[in-house]
Amino acid sequence: MKTEIAKIETTVNTEALDINRNIIKKAAKYLRKNELVAIPTETVYGLGASGLSEEACKKIFEVKGRPADNPLILHISELEELYDLVKEVPIEAEKMLEELWPGPLTIVLRKSEKIPNIVTAGGNTVAIRMPSHKVAREIIKEVGLPIAAPSANLSGRPSPTTAKDVMEDLNGKINLIVDGGQSSIGIESTVLDLTSKPYTILRPGFFDKVDLENYLKEVEYDNALLEEGVIPRSPGQKYKHYAPKASMEVIIGNNKQIKEFIVIYIKSTIKNTAYILFEENKNLVPKDGIFLTLGSKEKLNEMAYNLFKNLRLADKLKVEHIICEGTLEKGIGIGIMNRLKKSSSGTVRIL
Ligand code: AMP
Ligand code: MG
């Protein structure tokens, strides 16, 4: 199978609009035929399949090498589409959905009869999100069905935030990758279980507990996110994830501590290393060393944006080891640290 990357042009001229329309239609055609298409979203790129087709969703598991017990998120383009897919929506969640959707929030509810078992990995709840990325929404609208779309990477690898990243993992395995530019957020959605109270954050992401408390009285983090050794309620959280090929160590500290660490590290190791650090610490990396930026320490959104991209870049540069700065677990920092702990198999050093 030959994999094509079709680029959506964001500059608005009449010709580009026609080209874009054709790409949206092409993507929708494949999806309606139960083929897979990688689509851009604001979180990461998704591997899309018709969400009500057992046959199409089966291909997602095959292509990604995804464990069969890890359920899929269904993506919709309008709030109304939600009500057909679930048994009921708690009233207090409605205002939240009106304000936070479209966006990086996934909700888990009891599923309706329409949803095939493969989507929910046999369970009676389903995860649903309305992405804000225009291209994703247009494709979903054009298909006229919910689209199942886990991250478009091979299972276990860092999530893709560009069409090129998807190509790296899925070349020859799918027909089409729709290129809608780099994902603006860069880490996956917050997953919120609304099936019972207290409502539970199963996976941290762009929105944290404080954001959700503006709408819901009782919200907790899943215990597995707070304590070691607790089995996560979200199946996907138990797997090794987001892992680069190089071994990786996460370090957390102030600039002085980071500096001291790197001086000692350089003296004591001969490993070929990539340093993924905040821009402020760029000068700590030796001239002949590999520095990859996380953006400004003051702007954690930049850290999320740069994170997976750099893990993939480090692999391309064939380094043996990655030193990556971590951050405080606040706001999106909770989601970022959740990913970093998994990428590094828990090798986090507080300096
Ligand atoms: P991704 O592969 O990035 O799309 O991840 C989807 C995440 O949502 C995984 O962590 C799944 O385990 C989780 N998820 C999907 N459906 C459900 C569900 N019904 N209940 C709990 N977690 C879910
Ligand atoms: Mg994933």
Side-chain angles (χ1 to χ4, degrees), residues 44 64 66 70 150-153 157 159 188 203 241-242:
V44 301
K64 277 181 63 89
R66 186 176 175 98
N70 193 4
S151 48
N153 52 284
R157 296 270 300 137
S159 297
E188 303 83 350
R203 176 174 73 184
H241 247 62
Y242 322 118

Side-chain angles (χ1 to χ4, degrees), residues 22-64:
N22 286 340
I23 296 172
I24 303 276
K25 285 202 167 135
K26 190 172 187 175
K29 201 167 157 193
Y30 276 125
L31 289 165
R32 264 190 244 109
K33 283 199 300 187
N34 293 338
E35 297 294 342
L36 305 184
V37 177
I39 59 174
T41 87
E42 71 280 16
T43 54
V44 301
Y45 271 67
L47 181 58
S50 169
L52 299 185
S53 158
E54 186 101 25
E55 179 199 344
C57 291
K58 194 161 167 252
K59 290 181 185 167
I60 290 183
F61 287 88
E62 285 165 4
V63 162
K64 277 181 63 89

Side-chain angles (χ1 to χ4, degrees), residues 25-198:
K25 285 202 167 135
K26 190 172 187 175
K29 201 167 157 193
Y30 276 125
L31 289 165
R32 264 190 244 109
K33 283 199 300 187
N34 293 338
E35 297 294 342
L36 305 184
V37 177
I39 59 174
T41 87
E42 71 280 16
T43 54
V44 301
Y45 271 67
L47 181 58
S50 169
L52 299 185
S53 158
E54 186 101 25
E55 179 199 344
C57 291
K58 194 161 167 252
K59 290 181 185 167
I60 290 183
F61 287 88
E62 285 165 4
V63 162
K64 277 181 63 89
R66 186 176 175 98
D69 67 348
N70 193 4
L72 305 174
I73 297 175
L74 290 185
H75 294 69
I76 58 176
S77 62
E78 297 296 337
L79 184 54
E80 299 85 77
E81 295 159 30
L82 169 68
Y83 294 88
D84 236 16
L85 304 174
V86 301
K87 288 240 161 83
E88 59 182 349
V89 181
I91 291 172
E92 63 264 46
E94 287 188 347
K95 187 159 188 296
M96 174 183 75
L97 295 179
E98 274 164 26
E99 294 194 8
L100 301 188
W101 272 7
L105 172 69
T106 296
I107 56 167
V108 173
L109 289 166
R110 255 172 276 283
K111 79 176 186 94
S112 76
E113 311 303 320
K114 283 200 164 175
I115 316 256
N117 281 330
I118 191 160
V119 169
T120 65
N124 56 10
T125 62
V126 63
I128 300 183
R129 178 165 100 84
M130 176 157 66
S132 66
H133 199 295
K134 235 179 136 185
V135 175
R137 298 265 299 288
E138 285 293 319
I139 292 173
I140 300 166
K141 220 178 272 176
E142 183 73 29
V143 179
L145 290 167
I147 299 297
S151 48
N153 52 284
L154 294 176
S155 254
R157 296 270 300 137
S159 297
T161 55
T162 65
K164 260 195 188 158
D165 294 346
V166 179
M167 194 66 163
E168 236 170 60
D169 278 21
L170 303 184
N171 189 9
K173 297 187 168 190
I174 58 176
N175 291 296
L176 181 65
I177 300 168
V178 179
D179 183 350
Q182 185 170 343
S183 299
S184 59
I185 293 178
I187 62 168
E188 303 83 350
S189 57
T190 302
V191 179
L192 173 66
D193 185 342
L194 293 174
T195 55
S196 60
K197 282 188 184 171

Side-chain angles (χ1 to χ4, degrees), residues 161-333:
T161 55
T162 65
K164 260 195 188 158
D165 294 346
V166 179
M167 194 66 163
E168 236 170 60
D169 278 21
L170 303 184
N171 189 9
K173 297 187 168 190
I174 58 176
N175 291 296
L176 181 65
I177 300 168
V178 179
D179 183 350
Q182 185 170 343
S183 299
S184 59
I185 293 178
I187 62 168
E188 303 83 350
S189 57
T190 302
V191 179
L192 173 66
D193 185 342
L194 293 174
T195 55
S196 60
K197 282 188 184 171
Y199 301 131
T200 312
I201 297 172
L202 303 179
R203 176 174 73 184
F206 181 81
F207 295 120
D208 69 357
K209 185 167 174 280
V210 179
D211 296 317
L212 303 178
E213 278 168 347
N214 287 326
Y215 307 96
L216 308 170
K217 275 198 209 86
E218 301 167 61
V219 195
E220 306 279 351
Y221 283 106
D222 183 12
N223 274 334
L225 297 171
L226 306 172
E227 292 164 44
E228 301 226 342
V230 177
I231 296 172
R233 276 171 51 182
S234 183
Q237 290 287 309
K238 67 175 187 262
Y239 293 107
K240 186 172 162 66
H241 247 62
Y242 322 118
K245 288 173 192 144
S247 61
M248 176 169 165
E249 186 166 0
V250 178
I251 53 172
I252 302 179
N254 59 33
N255 291 1
K256 185 166 167 274
Q257 290 163 324
I258 300 282
K259 184 176 179 178
E260 280 165 9
F261 174 87
I262 290 181
V263 168
I264 295 168
Y265 176 83
I266 290 170
K267 274 198 195 136
S268 62
T269 184
I270 47 163
K271 273 185 187 160
N272 178 10
T273 300
Y275 299 87
I276 308 181
L277 307 177
F278 290 111
E279 192 64 28
E280 290 87 335
N281 289 327
K282 184 179 185 170
N283 58 357
L284 302 182
V285 179
K287 287 256 167 339
D288 56 349
I290 298 169
F291 166 74
L292 304 174
T293 188
L294 286 172
S296 166
K297 200 166 193 164
E298 307 300 321
K299 296 182 190 150
L300 286 189
N301 287 357
E302 289 184 6
M303 185 181 191
Y305 181 79
N306 287 310
L307 188 64
F308 287 137
K309 187 176 76 170
N310 283 334
L311 294 183
R312 282 182 172 266
L313 196 53
D315 275 347
K316 264 189 259 173
L317 296 169
K318 298 206 164 37
V319 300
E320 291 164 78
H321 194 61
I322 296 172
I323 300 283
C324 180
E325 268 196 89
T327 184
L328 292 178
E329 297 190 55
K330 256 183 89 180
I332 195 173

